[in-house]
Amino acid sequence: MEILGKQTLFAEGVRGSCSEDLMARFNLREGKDPQTYGLGIKEVWRIPAEKCRPGYIQHTFGWPLPTDVYGGSFLYHMEPDLVLVGFAVGLDYANPYLSPYQEFQQWKHHPLVRAHLEGGECIQYGARCINEGGFQSVPKLTFPGGALLGCSAGFLNVPKIKGTHTAMKSGMVAADAIYQALTSETPMNVVRPAKKPEGADEKAGLEVVGYQKDMENSWVWEELKSVRNYHPSFKAGLLPGIMYSGLSAFVLRGKEPWTFRNHKKDCEKTKPAAECTPITYPKPDGKLSFDLLTNLARSGTNHEGDQPAHLRIKPGKEHVPTDVSYKIYAGPEGRFCPARVYEYPEGENGKLVINAQNCVHCKCCSIKTPEEYIKWTVPEAGGGGPA
Ligand SMILES: Cc1cc2nc3c(=O)[nH]c(=O)nc-3n(C[C@H](O)[C@H](O)[C@H](O)COP(=O)(O)OP(=O)(O)OC[C@H]3O[C@@H](n4cnc5c(N)ncnc54)[C@H](O)[C@@H]3O)c2cc1C
Ligand code: SF4
């Protein structure tokens, strides 16, 4: 594809497919920690209007997750009669038998959650990954002719699960820096390309490094830096993580002179099934909790049958589903995918079936499959979910 713009800004959100290719092509991750992720699964409920308290917010941490898994929930009341509930699970979990979807369903049965939903009806379902690597995982932001913005660059405040404000700020900072570069006769803070195609505009292919500098001097950098040690501190377990985060937030105020680092991708944190205990989840009751296919029907996902596959096994990794994922890890994609896209039918010796039409575009499979064997690309026309 030929891109003619003098500058192209990539704001594809978390795990953007073009952004990931750009990071690899321009080596933007050099010296940074790998990006890590969480999977957020969400439902929208309509409840009796008299029960609705618009503005009400409830956040929880942990339960029903095992104590070595990072994650928690949100519950928001919204006008006129809606409740939004969701559960996010850190994808650095080790046990391949864990199912983020089933953890979410179980969570709704807690008395402090069910009280909000009883008498209501679930009307929507969806899922989306979030960045969890934080400050340590933000890549270099610029490259010749473009830059990364928002969640494509990983600007998420991890403990708050908030990234709208930082995404908007990055767009504003990039716009200012690029406007200066493209309109000034003597642009500052740019790197000119070593060579340009013949006849190309004088300003084509500039690398606007001013955007990087301006972001580093903005409140976004300060905010992300101040919370950089929260998630990594949970590596030591739930209680030590909570204690450290409290200390960092209220005493050290994020100014501690050390930074916890992580050198492994989420898929490398999964342990072989033989080292883990299978998890049996309670059956859904059909009122508060639902089987996955019932919820999938509420997602609005829809793909034309004749479009090119948007989920592909990467070249050279064709053996991974059967030889690695199924045999060593007991097929974790059958449990973490919140749309039951991946199946290893019984009696077929680990032959993988990909039901791509079910996909709700959370991008989890491009992150958590062993060796990241899935290449995720944007489906035609959006297909009913975010890309
Ligand atoms: C469950 C959950 C709860 C959250 N709660 C909050 C919250 O309460 N407050 C908050 O501030 N943040 C919250 N966030 C985070 C917030 O959603 C993101 O930080 C924010 O949306 C990032 O904005 P963005 O513009 O970078 O990306 P996005 O909002 O993800 O937008 C990217 C857009 O680009 C499209 N796209 C992707 N690739 C392509 C392509 N190749 N071509 C064309 N289009 C493409 C996508 O479909 C999408 O519409 C939450 C996230 C999740 C998953
Ligand atoms: S196939 Fe991948 S992107 Fe689609 S819903 Fe499943 S895990 Fe998410």
Side-chain angles (χ1 to χ4, degrees), residues 140-162:
K140 180 171 177 273
L141 303 176
T142 59
F143 49 87
L148 302 174
L149 311 186
C151 273
S152 277
F155 292 139
L156 187 100
N157 182 323
V158 180
K160 289 189 173 167
I161 321 184
K162 297 211 184 311

Side-chain angles (χ1 to χ4, degrees), residues 260-287:
F260 299 143
R261 304 298 298 264
N262 163 51
H263 301 292
K264 280 189 169 178
K265 295 177 178 179
D266 287 333
C267 68
E268 295 165 344
K269 303 248 175 96
T270 315
K271 284 188 180 165
E275 295 174 25
C276 300
T277 312
I279 305 173
T280 308
Y281 289 102
K283 281 201 162 42
D285 68 356
K287 292 179 188 145

Side-chain angles (χ1 to χ4, degrees), residues 11-13 74 76 128-130 150-151 156 161-164 167 378 386-387:
E12 299 176 292
F74 58 87
Y76 305 139
R128 178 87 160 145
C129 281
I130 34 177
C151 273
L156 187 100
I161 321 184
K162 297 211 184 311
T164 312
V378 179

Side-chain angles (χ1 to χ4, degrees), residues 1-289:
M1 184 168 61
E2 199 175 357
I3 297 180
L4 299 176
K6 289 176 196 160
Q7 288 288 317
T8 309
L9 302 179
F10 290 82
E12 299 176 292
V14 64
R15 193 74 168 176
S17 42
C18 301
S19 310
E20 291 296 317
D21 288 350
L22 286 162
M23 284 186 236
R25 175 161 179 181
F26 293 106
N27 205 15
L28 304 181
R29 291 216 148 276
E30 191 178 14
K32 313 289 178 183
D33 288 0
Q35 184 57 269
T36 58
Y37 301 86
L39 172 61
I41 309 179
K42 180 172 154 182
E43 292 171 357
V44 179
W45 283 66
R46 177 163 290 132
I47 59 165
E50 63 276 11
K51 276 183 79 173
C52 189
R53 294 148 63 191
Y56 179 86
I57 293 175
Q58 182 174 295
H59 286 161
T60 66
F61 201 85
W63 192 89
L65 291 171
T67 54
D68 61 345
V69 180
Y70 183 85
S73 73
F74 58 87
L75 182 153
Y76 305 139
H77 282 234
M78 262 176 63
E79 280 178 356
D81 55 1
L82 299 178
V83 177
L84 281 56
V85 286
F87 202 86
V89 176
L91 291 177
D92 51 359
Y93 66 82
N95 187 339
Y97 292 109
L98 188 128
S99 162
Y101 177 82
Q102 297 294 352
E103 298 286 339
F104 174 38
Q105 295 307 304
Q106 211 183 326
W107 165 79
K108 286 184 288 172
H109 285 269
H110 192 284
L112 290 177
V113 181
R114 67 183 307 153
H116 294 267
L117 303 178
E118 273 168 343
E121 178 199 6
C122 178
I123 55 172
Q124 269 177 18
Y125 170 77
R128 178 87 160 145
C129 281
I130 34 177
N131 294 301
E132 290 202 341
F135 186 73
Q136 295 87 316
S137 302
V138 173
K140 180 171 177 273
L141 303 176
T142 59
F143 49 87
L148 302 174
L149 311 186
C151 273
S152 277
F155 292 139
L156 187 100
N157 182 323
V158 180
K160 289 189 173 167
I161 321 184
K162 297 211 184 311
T164 312
H165 61 314
T166 49
M168 289 169 72
K169 179 69 177 172
S170 69
M172 292 156 73
V173 172
D176 282 345
I178 289 166
Y179 181 80
Q180 198 279 335
L182 294 184
T183 55
S184 165
E185 285 188 5
T186 50
M188 294 182 307
N189 293 322
V190 295
V191 176
R192 293 181 185 279
K195 60 175 184 182
K196 281 189 299 194
E198 209 176 305
D201 186 277
E202 189 216 337
K203 296 274 174 75
L206 289 184
E207 180 171 352
V208 184
V209 291
Y211 165 51
Q212 174 93 33
K213 288 189 184 154
D214 294 346
M215 281 303 287
E216 288 176 12
N217 290 323
S218 75
W219 54 258
V220 173
W221 228 250
E222 204 179 315
E223 178 180 324
L224 297 188
K225 192 170 180 195
S226 72
V227 296
R228 70 195 179 285
N229 283 330
Y230 279 47
H231 183 177
S233 70
F234 282 83
K235 215 162 104 181
L238 182 66
L239 207 57
I242 290 174
M243 285 165 63
Y244 182 87
S245 302
L247 179 76
S248 179
F250 300 113
V251 182
L252 303 170
R253 303 213 170 265
K255 295 203 187 315
E256 57 266 37
W258 56 83
T259 296
F260 299 143
R261 304 298 298 264
N262 163 51
H263 301 292
K264 280 189 169 178
K265 295 177 178 179
D266 287 333
C267 68
E268 295 165 344
K269 303 248 175 96
T270 315
K271 284 188 180 165
E275 295 174 25
C276 300
T277 312
I279 305 173
T280 308
Y281 289 102
K283 281 201 162 42
D285 68 356
K287 292 179 188 145
L288 276 179
S289 47

